[in-house]
Amino acid sequence: MTGAASAQVLAVEGLKKHFPVQRGLLRRTVAHVQAVDGVSFTIGAGETLCLVGESGCGKSTVGKLILRFIEPTEGRIMLGGTDIASLDPNTMRQYRRNAQMVFQDPYASLNPRLTAGTIVGEPLENFGEMGAAEREQRVAAVLERVGLRAEAMRKYPFEFSGGQRQRLGIARALAVNPALIIADEPVSALDVSVQAQVLNLLMDLQDEFKLAYLFISHDLGVVEHIGHRIAVMYLGKIVEVAPKEALFAAALHPYTQALIDAAPLPDPRVRRERLMIEGDVPSPINPPPGCRFHTRCPFAVARCRTEEPALRETVPGRLVACHLRRNGDVGPLGRQVP
Amino acid sequence: MAVIAETPRPAPGLAGAFGKFARRNPTIVLGGALLLATALVAIFAPWIAGNDPRFMAPTNRLQPPSAQFWFGTDNLGRDIFARTVYGARISLIVGLTVAVVSVAIGLAIGLAAGYYRKLDGVVMRVMDGMMAIPAILLAIALVSLNRASVWIVIVAITIPEVPRVVRLVRSVVLTTREQPFIEAAIGGGSRDWKIILRHLLPSTVAPLVVQATYITASAILIEAALSFLGAGVPPEIPTWGNMIATSRLFLARAPWTIFFPGACLALVILAVNLVGDGLRDRLDPRLARRM
């Protein structure tokens, strides 16, 4: 694992986003969607932190909050030592070269009317402090680095395949030499064969440029391939953070265990014990009191319904938010008395 | 921005290229040719008309078309061909000016309202108010307050057209700004002006071109209606509208007096709409390269 020892690139502390729900003629705010409700984590240089969870758990919102595509309600976002959470838009603009995004949709994230050269060169226009000829050279170099030919800069996005388009998106993020790349489901729209190529490209680039990745995904197979540490989100909160190997070996939180068990195995003959959870994710407008997972947790006890568990380090290097976990306990989950 | 030259292709010759374009876009070429002819007629009216459009010869009144008066004469013995030729000037000036001015103003307001959400509420309520003003009533009011002139007519037609352009541009901006490539541009550190001009403006062009042709056609029609009602251009200037208005009394006796200005009006509006439809099909970015 590369993360722990190296320099910290991003530290998020108590990040919250509550979207107001407005009703009626006067747009009165009647409730708040607690999309992200107190999320904290750090990422070091050369490290990949994967943020996993179901649809609607707030993982994409976290990525957008860090880049201030939406304004955080509360919390600190330390990017290279500066809290960017409350910067005015103009100052924020200066910091954008340090953190870039690779988007989920390789079609909609590239303006169809611009050539690949213009798309990849746009961040360089804003930050590059270089002339047109120099910029073109830089674009050509970045395109070649992501596995496209330099001549591709003359083409339009529709002339590329899905995988090539995602390479363009990566080239655009890479062009200004950021310290952090936020990748929001960057391979979920691609064919499986292409997914592997793009993931390997991302990993090669990480080794070469010591990039920090926040990798947002719902696909545990992908996460197992690329991640160093994994943070599991449920209903706007992080319920578990652990190094990849440890997490897949033994999940501490029942939700994590259920997520891992829900992933299909490639061998149809293999049978295994699965932790199945039932029901739907509760509404983030009225999240359940206590532990947010207690409505679906097969092990929930009375305390889970009233007292919210804190995210705490029960095993060195591993954080979990569950009343049922005692310090040092990594055994299988069961009905335990806390 | 690196300007990248189109890869040179073997030139098929200008005539060949035009022939290919015409075969693929017959409506644009047909409509464009009609409009070009109308524009040339309007520009060179003094040379084409032959006679003075205002010269009255009561002895010659209500003459059918002949070698001397190609389109016949009206109830005051004026040459209808000359008057129709001069009438093209008013129609084209009004149509094009209204289209250009309302698109320019509407584009600026629409981009601002669509991108800066705080402006949106106020701007759109003002636009709703303007939209409620009927062009014809506004023109009658303005003409009665001022002296009748072409410019008053243009202002009166432009004012109610602007909100339609604003609505169109705003709706395109509202859908385009939700595209991830806008977030990508923000993330790439682009300023507002670059996002608006490079990423939002181009997607408004295609619908605006279509809307502009519609505005041109409707402005020409409204001008004709205003002239017909006597509330538009001063009556001494020949327009297709006031020609039709004066001729309607003699429709049974001298149908040519109404036929020629009416046919020209219909033809020009058809031409504008043909160009508009053709351009709408051509401006689709996925089809653009097939030129």
Side-chain angles (χ1 to χ4, degrees):
Chain A
M1 211 191 88
T2 44
S6 55
Q8 182 175 296
V9 172
L10 176 75
V12 173
E13 291 165 30
L15 191 63
K16 287 189 184 180
K17 179 64 193 182
H18 294 179
F19 292 103
V21 180
Q22 292 168 333
R23 289 262 166 74
L25 202 59
L26 299 173
R27 298 276 172 90
R28 270 185 313 126
T29 301
V30 294
H32 285 95
V33 176
Q34 301 177 18
V36 175
D37 197 29
V39 161
S40 306
F41 57 82
T42 61
I43 309 177
E47 185 192 23
T48 302
L49 177 72
C50 292
L51 201 53
V52 300
E54 283 169 278
S55 311
C57 72
K59 56 190 192 299
S60 286
T61 308
V62 169
K64 291 185 175 192
L65 286 170
I66 293 169
L67 292 180
R68 297 274 305 276
F69 293 152
I70 41 185
E71 292 301 312
T73 309
E74 214 176 278
R76 301 210 298 164
I77 303 163
M78 306 297 293
L79 180 65
T82 313
D83 182 8
I84 59 165
S86 49
L87 293 180
D88 68 276
N90 229 347
T91 323
M92 179 63 207
R93 225 178 55 78
Q94 309 298 322
Y95 284 88
R96 292 197 177 279
R97 69 176 309 166
N98 299 319
Q100 290 290 307
M101 187 152 199
V102 175
F103 293 84
Q104 174 176 14
D105 186 340
Y107 292 85
S109 61
L110 305 176
N111 187 337
R113 292 163 201 275
L114 301 178
T115 61
T118 310
I119 291 171
V120 175
E122 182 162 327
L124 287 171
E125 289 170 21
N126 302 324
F127 297 124
E129 295 124 21
M130 49 176 79
E134 201 185 339
R135 189 161 60 236
E136 199 174 321
Q137 282 178 3
R138 169 79 182 143
V139 169
V142 175
L143 285 177
E144 279 171 358
R145 184 61 199 83
V146 300
L148 295 168
R149 299 194 315 159
E151 295 81 60
M153 72 170 77
R154 281 140 220 263
K155 294 196 200 168
Y156 286 87
F158 71 89
E159 297 175 74
F160 294 93
S161 69
Q164 287 175 323
R165 284 167 152 257
Q166 202 54 300
R167 286 172 193 270
L168 278 181
I170 293 169
R172 169 173 61 191
L174 205 60
V176 289
N177 279 324
L180 170 72
I181 288 183
I182 296 178
D184 186 0
E185 307 246 15
V187 297
S188 64
L190 304 176
D191 291 346
V192 176
S193 59
V194 182
Q195 282 191 1
Q197 296 169 13
V198 171
L199 289 177
N200 289 335
L201 171 65
L202 285 170
M203 292 168 81
D204 290 347
L205 294 172
Q206 179 168 54
D207 288 343
E208 189 173 335
F209 301 110
K210 286 278 159 251
L211 291 166
Y213 287 151
L214 175 62
F215 193 96
I216 299 164
S217 180
H218 65 270
D219 185 334
L220 290 175
V222 167
V223 163
E224 197 168 2
H225 187 66
I226 197 169
H228 296 127
R229 279 190 305 140
I230 295 170
V232 181
M233 266 187 93
Y234 183 77
L235 259 185
K237 282 185 181 293
I238 290 181
V239 295
E240 180 164 3
V241 186
K244 170 180 71 181
E245 296 79 8
L247 187 95
F248 282 102
L252 295 185
H253 197 281
Y255 178 65
T256 313
Q257 189 59 53
L259 268 190
I260 293 172
D261 288 353
L265 291 176
D267 186 343
R269 284 162 303 189
V270 173
R271 292 280 176 269
R272 59 178 170 172
E273 283 278 308
R274 286 173 182 232
L275 175 61
M276 305 291 280
I277 54 173
E278 287 167 4
D280 289 321
V281 185
S283 160
I285 296 178
N286 280 312
C291 174
R292 293 191 169 190
F293 187 57
H294 84 249
T295 54
R296 303 168 77 191
C297 180
F299 312 115
V301 296
R303 185 184 174 197
C304 301
R305 294 182 187 94
T306 52
E307 191 186 327
E308 189 165 340
L311 191 65
R312 65 207 160 89
E313 191 166 15
T314 57
V315 179
R318 302 190 63 170
L319 303 171
V320 65
C322 181
H323 293 310
L324 304 177
R325 280 294 174 190
R326 294 210 186 88
N327 286 345
D329 169 21
V330 292
L333 285 152
R335 289 190 187 279
Q336 299 159 337
V337 183
Chain B
M1 192 185 85
V3 179
I4 284 120
E6 191 66 72
T7 41
R9 263 176 239 163
L14 203 62
F18 180 77
K20 196 174 162 195
F21 179 82
R23 253 175 284 122
R24 293 197 175 173
N25 307 282
T27 55
I28 297 184
V29 172
L30 182 64
L34 272 170
L35 278 184
L36 187 68
T38 315
L40 289 176
V41 164
I43 291 166
F44 299 108
W47 291 274
I48 293 168
N51 293 320
D52 182 345
R54 295 180 204 173
F55 179 72
M56 294 183 230
T59 48
N60 278 340
R61 62 204 184 90
L62 299 179
Q63 294 283 315
S66 64
Q68 193 195 350
F69 302 111
W70 292 355
F71 289 181
T73 60
D74 67 5
N75 59 316
L76 298 173
R78 295 176 294 196
D79 181 1
I80 291 180
F81 177 71
R83 292 179 68 73
T84 306
V85 165
Y86 274 90
R89 289 187 152 183
I90 299 297
S91 288
L92 285 190
I93 288 173
V94 171
L96 294 179
T97 314
V98 169
V100 168
V101 173
S102 55
V103 164
I105 299 174
L107 181 62
I109 299 176
L111 285 172
Y115 189 71
Y116 297 106
R117 306 296 295 137
K118 283 178 184 160
L119 276 178
D120 190 47
V122 179
V123 170
M124 292 321 289
R125 294 301 77 73
V126 173
M127 290 299 133
D128 288 348
M130 281 172 67
M131 222 169 179
I133 305 171
I136 290 183
L137 284 185
L138 181 66
I140 293 171
L142 286 177
V143 166
S144 52
L145 288 174
N146 302 279
R147 281 194 53 229
S149 79
V150 178
W151 303 110
I152 293 287
V153 171
I154 288 172
V155 170
I157 303 174
T158 302
I159 288 175
E161 289 293 350
V162 166
R164 285 174 235 279
V165 179
V166 171
R167 284 212 161 269
L168 177 77
V169 172
R170 172 179 170 272
S171 74
V172 173
V173 170
L174 286 183
T175 48
T176 310
R177 61 173 286 147
E178 297 304 322
Q179 296 280 328
F181 67 73
I182 299 296
E183 265 178 6
I186 297 171
S190 294
R191 294 174 192 276
D192 288 356
W193 64 262
K194 187 182 277 184
I195 292 167
I196 291 172
L197 293 184
R198 180 183 282 178
H199 297 285
L200 297 175
L201 177 68
S203 41
T204 66
V205 169
L208 267 185
V209 164
V210 180
Q211 183 74 6
T213 58
Y214 166 74
I215 292 172
T216 307
S218 108
I220 292 173
L221 269 182
I222 294 174
E223 182 279 317
L226 285 171
S227 294
F228 182 85
L229 294 172
V233 178
E236 66 271 17
I237 301 176
T239 74
W240 295 342
N242 63 25
M243 289 170 74
I244 294 171
T246 51
S247 305
R248 75 190 193 282
L249 303 169
F250 314 101
L251 182 59
R253 265 185 67 197
W256 58 86
T257 54
I258 213 162
F259 173 77
F260 290 106
C264 287
L265 188 61
L267 216 59
V268 165
I269 287 168
L270 176 70
V272 173
N273 284 333
L274 281 178
V275 171
D277 283 0
L279 283 176
R280 182 192 53 203
D281 297 344
R282 276 289 282 115
L283 287 173
D284 189 306
R286 275 156 299 171
L287 304 175
R289 290 219 128 192
R290 292 211 318 228
M291 182 175 161

